[in-house]
Every structure is written in structure tokens, then in C-alpha cells.
Amino acid sequence: MAARFLEDYLSRNPWRNPQTDHSVQLLRPSYSPNYFSIEDIVLQDVRVSCKFEVSVPKLGMLDQSADDQDLKQGSKVELPFWMVPTLHAKKVITFEIPRHYKVNYRQILQADSIVVDLHKWGPYFYDLGQHVANLELKDSIDIKKSLVQTLLNRLRHIMDMSQHSTHHETVHLIANLDELERKLFAVGQLSYRSYKEWVRRESSKINTAALVASHRKRKFAEVTI
Amino acid sequence: MFAQRGVELIQELERAKDFLPPFNEDAVRQVLEEMRALFEENQRDASSAVAGESEYITSVHIRHCALERNKRCLMAYLYNRLERIKEHRWHFGSVLPPDIKANICEPETQFFIKYNKSLATYMKSIGEGSYSLDLTQNLKPPKNLYIQVKCLTDFGEFETEDGDIVVLKKNSLHLLPRVQCELLIAQGVLEHVS
């Protein structure tokens, strides 16, 4: 089952109908091949600290602490991550890896991945990690290995929890998980609920369409307010 | 910082995961304004670089990055809205409730109409002669021809294909052919009772 989760995430199954199969919608990949992904755009807004190797005229506004018209060479600036790949490739900046992907944190993950609060380390830990590792730094291979290993270690725990939890306990259980793991958890819960439905012979029952139900609830809430 | 408005547009979509917020024309216009300003500055710097001063090249790169980012935000905003409109067709049927219609801008309405037409043409083309397949029905494998339904709202009179008129009052139970009631169940008027 772990293989099926990872396989689903890493390769979108072409024969699963997105209209009826909600797990496909939940696991839409957010990393670089997907230009339109909402999450990929939002997660790349995170600030990372960089040092400029060349002076950049007229763009002093990027550095909030200095009042210059121009950016001086050697100034440390907090840039949003979407600027980094181009500038790093052109050697305009030296990029400092965000601290959660550095050696000491990788060692913490190696020691025991399951208890780590990945949501605190960045709600998009794996996705940002992939973007950082793709920048061809000295540590790239180690970062990639550490990401894969962490996910493998935590996966069993996630699967276990998703198959055996009720609707109410969920908030406590997923508090430590980052966004990718939360999606996997939601898929697990969905599959467990479908199984239970099948056992109760309710899988042939036609339901109100999901959007219609939420539309009604919202209209009702507006009217009563 | 560049592309702030663009990310706000995207965050609007992220916050409203299961409905369509109104089309934020102002924000889109502001993003396009920012793109135009960046582009013009780049034009000036690029032409001075061609003229011989090569120190502006990095600024051009950075502004180009911001332009690409703005472009990506706008494209993703439009694309994701269209995807949600497509989903609406499958959940609501070909007629949208008026409050959803109010949130859709004019080109998106055109898209919806054309999508409906394409879907209808495709459904008619399956099979030979006048046989058409309604893809929005039977989304789950059917178990029986007739199903027991309970009415949830006062819908009024409903005419089935064989000509029988059924009065749908609240909490009344009926035994109806599956194909007739699937649309009403999806819209929440009837409830499938097993």
C-alpha cells in the first residue's frame, strides 16, 4: 500500500476520472512540472537570505534596510524564493540554504523522523526541499536523499493513522504533518471511508453532488446570518 | 516586493477551495499594470545596454523574473477558475444557480456555454443513429432499474419520460426509474433511500 501511495503521487494515473475520484484531485503534484499549481506558486513566496555578488543598479528597493537607489555588491538581502533559480544560475547571488535543510537538521531527521514537527519546519517541507535541491548546490544529493528517507520513515505512521482514525481526532493527528503528508493522509482516510461504505452496501447509493451540498450549506449560512 | 498582488489573487483561490469567488477584475488589472511598468523599465535598460552600458543587465534579469512570476500568477488564476467551472458542469448540470453565475465574468460564461456544447456534441456522437449517452449519469455502477427516493424539498410536479406525473412534496417516497431521478438526486432535491 505504501507503494501505491507513492506511485499515485509520483505519476498521475490517466484512467482515474478526476470528476468522480476525489483522491486524484487531492494528490495533484505541486512540484516543478506543474506550472498552474496554486500551491507551488504560494510556497515559492517564502523568503530566503542571499548575498549579492554583483552590484545591481536601480533595484535598491529589494533591500529594505538600505535606502540606496542601487544595490551594493555584497549586500545581504531576503529574496522571495522564485527569484533564486535564475539569479543563482547567472551567479548573481550566493544562495544560503534555508536552515531546515542544513546538515544538523538532516541529522535530526536521520535520528528519528517520526517525532519531528514538519509543519513547523515549513508547511511545504518536501516541495521546497525539492526546489532547493534542484539548484545544483554542494549538498543537493544529500538533501534529496534525506527528503526521500524522511518520507519513507514517516509514511508507515501516516498510513496507520489514516486507516484507523475517526473524523474528530484528525486535527491532533495531522498537526505534525506537512502539506504533502496531509494530502496523503486525506487520501488514506477517503479510501478507508469508501471501504466502510462498501461493506455497508452503501457504495451504490447515489449522493448529492459535493459542490451542490457545499453550495447549499453556504447559502443557508448566509440566509441565517 | 514584486508580484505581491499576483500572489494575493492566488491566495484568494486557495482560501475558497470548493466554490468560485467573484472574478477579481481590479486585482487582475493591477497585476497587468505592474507588468507593463516592469516591461517598460526593462525596455529602457535593454536599449541602454545595447548602446554600450552593460551594467544594467542584472536589473533586466531580475525584472524579467518578476514579469514571469506575474505572468504565472495570472495564468494560474485563470486556469484554475476554468477548471472549477468545468467541475461545476458535472456537479450542477448545464444550468448554474444565479449566485454562482454572478461570480463568473463574461468570457468565462462563454467558456461554460462552449464547454456545454462540446460535451453535448460528444455525448450525441457516441453510438450510432440517434442513440446518445449521457455521461453525467450513472457515475456509480447501477444496481437496479428502479430506485426508492425520498423528496427533500417541495419541488412540485415532475413528469417522467413515460408521461407519468409525480407530485414531489416534502418527505414523500417514490419508486422511480433510475435514469429519471439521477439529476434530481445530484441537485439535492431527492434523496436515495436504500
Side-chain angles (χ1 to χ4, degrees):
Chain A
M1 227 172 138
R4 181 175 160 257
F5 274 169
L6 280 178
E7 180 198 310
D8 267 350
Y9 175 68
L10 294 170
S11 67
R12 303 190 42 194
N13 285 355
W15 55 83
R16 291 170 78 176
N17 182 0
Q19 266 82 26
T20 52
D21 194 343
H22 292 287
S23 57
V24 172
Q25 285 177 332
L26 289 171
L27 279 183
R28 199 155 282 175
S30 74
Y31 50 92
S32 31
N34 194 349
Y35 183 75
F36 294 121
S37 154
I38 292 181
E39 286 166 354
D40 198 32
I41 296 181
V42 169
L43 77 89
Q44 288 206 21
D45 226 19
V46 92
R47 299 282 165 127
V48 289
S49 85
C50 315
K51 192 169 88 140
F52 272 84
E53 296 297 325
V54 270
S55 69
V56 184
K58 288 204 207 164
L59 278 177
M61 52 156 101
L62 288 179
D63 187 1
Q64 261 116 15
S65 50
D67 294 321
D68 258 338
Q69 259 283 331
D70 308 336
L71 256 185
K72 292 265 182 306
Q73 177 174 5
S75 50
K76 279 203 169 202
V77 191
E78 296 257 318
L79 288 180
F81 185 78
W82 47 270
M83 281 196 183
V84 172
T86 337
L87 297 184
H88 184 77
K90 303 226 179 294
K91 307 249 189 311
V92 173
I93 55 171
T94 46
F95 168 66
E96 189 199 324
I97 307 179
R99 57 195 180 106
H100 295 298
Y101 303 103
K102 286 194 180 156
V103 193
N104 10 3
Y105 284 82
R106 292 207 294 269
Q107 283 172 346
I108 298 179
L109 286 175
Q110 220 174 8
D112 189 352
S113 338
I114 301 187
V115 298
V116 175
D117 185 356
L118 275 193
H119 190 76
K120 202 168 52 146
W121 284 26
Y124 292 100
F125 183 73
Y126 294 103
D127 299 298
L128 191 60
Q130 278 183 314
H131 282 295
V132 168
N134 284 338
L135 286 180
E136 291 185 26
L137 309 156
K138 206 164 26 95
D139 281 349
S140 285
I141 299 189
D142 289 325
I143 297 179
K144 286 185 182 173
K145 278 196 203 154
S146 135
L147 287 176
V148 173
Q149 199 53 46
T150 321
L151 183 60
L152 281 177
N153 290 344
R154 290 167 72 102
L155 195 61
R156 182 138 190 264
H157 184 59
I158 300 171
M159 272 170 48
D160 195 13
M161 287 198 305
S162 71
Q163 297 294 307
H164 298 104
S165 64
T166 66
H167 208 52
H168 308 285
E169 310 162 350
T170 313
V171 174
H172 306 290
L173 294 173
I174 65 176
N176 278 358
L177 306 180
D178 93 325
E179 291 299 314
L180 166 64
E181 294 170 340
R182 283 183 187 182
K183 281 192 224 153
L184 288 173
F185 183 86
V187 171
Q189 266 197 327
L190 184 63
S191 89
Y192 178 67
R193 251 184 279 150
S194 312
Y195 166 69
K196 279 290 166 195
E197 230 178 71
W198 180 79
V199 164
R200 288 196 300 258
R201 296 182 189 232
E202 277 174 18
S203 52
S204 53
K205 180 172 171 214
I206 316 172
N207 291 319
T208 326
L211 283 186
V212 176
S214 55
H215 178 239
R216 278 211 165 174
K217 277 188 218 150
R218 215 171 322 109
K219 244 184 21 188
F220 184 69
E222 277 170 19
V223 167
T224 48
I225 291 171
Chain B
M1 182 38 65
F2 300 125
Q4 206 82 298
R5 267 329 240 136
V7 176
E8 274 172 30
L9 269 182
I10 299 286
Q11 279 171 338
E12 219 183 88
L13 278 189
E14 196 187 5
R15 255 175 262 138
K17 280 217 171 90
D18 56 353
F19 70 98
L20 210 56
F23 187 76
N24 197 340
E25 218 173 319
D26 288 329
V28 169
R29 216 167 281 168
Q30 281 173 6
V31 176
L32 287 173
E33 230 347 276
E34 188 185 330
M35 284 176 78
R36 204 185 48 83
L38 282 171
F39 184 67
E40 279 177 3
E41 276 188 46
N42 259 4
Q43 287 267 35
R44 261 179 276 143
D45 281 350
S47 51
S48 61
V50 161
E53 315 160 6
S54 60
E55 56 180 25
Y56 290 125
I57 292 194
T58 344
S59 337
V60 173
H61 280 308
I62 296 185
R63 279 195 217 104
H64 188 72
C65 244
L67 269 173
E68 295 271 310
R69 173 82 172 163
N70 272 320
K71 180 171 86 170
R72 184 177 182 189
C73 289
L74 279 183
M75 301 277 294
Y77 181 68
L78 295 174
Y79 175 80
N80 281 296
R81 282 185 70 94
L82 287 183
E83 287 286 302
R84 287 191 199 182
I85 291 179
K86 273 199 242 172
E87 239 187 281
H88 275 60
R89 165 68 180 92
W90 288 84
H91 288 246
F92 283 98
S94 49
V95 179
L96 292 177
D99 50 344
I100 295 188
K101 260 204 205 141
N103 289 346
I104 304 186
C105 72
E106 176 55 32
E108 287 173 345
T109 335
Q110 292 300 318
F111 171 80
F112 186 71
I113 295 175
K114 284 192 189 153
Y115 184 74
N116 282 346
K117 244 187 245 170
S118 301
L119 193 59
T121 327
Y122 178 66
M123 294 201 286
K124 276 207 198 88
S125 71
I126 304 177
E128 294 116 20
S130 60
Y131 181 76
S132 77
L133 183 66
D134 190 354
L135 290 171
T136 54
Q137 278 189 1
N138 288 336
L139 290 173
K140 290 187 178 169
K143 293 270 185 219
N144 26 33
L145 266 179
Y146 281 77
I147 51 177
Q148 181 97 303
V149 287
K150 182 170 105 166
C151 193
L152 292 175
T153 59
D154 263 329
F155 191 67
E157 291 196 343
F158 177 62
E159 185 167 342
T160 64
E161 260 181 22
D162 342 334
D164 297 328
I165 302 183
V166 184
V167 178
L168 292 175
K169 279 190 89 161
K170 192 162 181 185
N171 290 331
S172 60
L173 286 166
H174 304 277
L175 187 67
L176 293 172
R178 189 192 175 88
V179 291
Q180 311 296 325
C181 12
E182 248 192 284
L183 187 58
L184 289 175
I185 298 179
Q187 288 176 349
V189 174
L190 300 174
E191 185 192 343
H192 185 185
V193 176
S194 50

